[in-house]
Amino acid sequence: FTYGLFIVLAFFATLWLALKRRKNLGEDHVYNISIISLVAGLIGARIAYILTNPQFFHSFFDIIALWEGGLSFFGGLILALIADFLYMKYKKLNFAEVIDIFAPPFILGQAIGRFGAFLSGVNPGLPTGVPWAIYHLGEYRHPAALYNVIADLFIFFILLKLENKKFINKKSGNLFLFLLILLGIERFFLDFFR
């Protein structure tokens, strides 16, 4: 329940911030892209998780039981981007410009969703003896999901700081590209604790 609640909160925070940043993009497009991203993201995240962890799925009920966890970040990101690209192509919107609008809202929503994962005990980290370890699954572990929250918020503030810099504004899509680079770095380092 907690994880689902935070996914809903993440969606509305993302939508709210995207509406604030929409520039010349129509409100209807912001709503449509947000809903498409949410639905395609959840489907892509679930499909990728099922493909990489088939041993956990024995029935159709197992596949649709999203409330039990089991989402793959990059699967969700890839399918959401494909769906968004198709929508923007159909509506004749500039894909690079629009994804720059959504870059900071996306990572803020990611941080909120990951906080829900932390509260729900999803993605427990490796066993550790650090003072801030959390007791989970019978031992003290790194709060890996909380590390993700901190990293995502850090990336969010970096993007807000950088978006008015000349090297970012030189070409549409640079802000989102920078987001992807930072996400790759985050994933590389934080996977050592998962």
Side-chain angles (χ1 to χ4, degrees):
F1 173 79
T2 304
Y3 193 20
L5 174 64
F6 273 82
I7 287 176
V8 171
L9 288 174
F11 172 76
F12 282 111
T14 301
L15 177 61
W16 172 80
L17 188 55
L19 285 167
K20 293 275 185 198
R21 296 171 45 81
R22 68 187 177 91
K23 299 175 183 172
N24 296 324
L25 184 66
E27 270 189 30
D28 57 331
H29 291 309
V30 174
Y31 284 109
N32 291 341
I33 292 165
S34 297
I35 292 167
I36 289 167
S37 297
L38 175 67
V39 174
L42 285 173
I43 292 170
R46 190 60 168 181
I47 289 170
Y49 185 81
I50 292 167
L51 292 175
T52 54
N53 300 280
Q55 69 275 18
F56 299 135
F57 300 93
H58 310 291
S59 68
F60 179 72
F61 181 78
D62 292 337
I63 291 170
I64 62 168
L66 286 175
W67 53 91
E68 292 182 5
L71 299 172
S72 167
F73 170 76
F74 286 105
L77 178 62
I78 290 166
L79 192 58
L81 282 175
I82 291 169
D84 290 339
F85 176 78
L86 293 173
Y87 172 81
M88 290 180 225
K89 190 171 175 62
Y90 177 72
K91 293 292 185 177
K92 296 180 173 54
L93 299 173
N94 185 314
F95 180 71
E97 284 179 10
V98 175
I99 60 173
D100 274 355
I101 290 170
F102 277 88
F106 165 77
I107 197 65
L108 176 64
Q110 187 66 21
I112 294 168
R114 289 208 188 267
F115 190 68
F118 168 70
L119 293 177
S120 301
V122 178
N123 293 332
L126 294 172
T128 184
V130 297
W132 57 86
I134 55 170
Y135 192 75
H136 187 66
L137 301 175
E139 54 192 332
Y140 287 96
R141 296 174 172 269
H142 281 286
L146 195 55
Y147 296 165
N148 282 117
V149 172
I150 294 165
D152 288 345
L153 287 174
F154 185 65
I155 292 171
F156 172 70
F157 288 113
I158 287 175
L159 293 181
L160 291 181
K161 265 306 203 197
L162 289 179
E163 72 176 332
N164 294 320
K165 300 293 182 190
K166 202 172 192 178
F167 75 98
I168 291 290
N169 279 326
K170 200 171 185 181
K171 188 176 177 189
S172 295
N174 277 354
L175 190 66
F176 192 81
L177 181 62
F178 200 72
L179 166 63
L180 293 180
I181 291 167
L182 291 174
L183 281 172
I185 294 168
E186 172 192 336
R187 190 62 181 249
F188 174 78
F189 284 107
L190 295 187
D191 271 1
F192 288 109
F193 300 103
R194 292 172 62 145

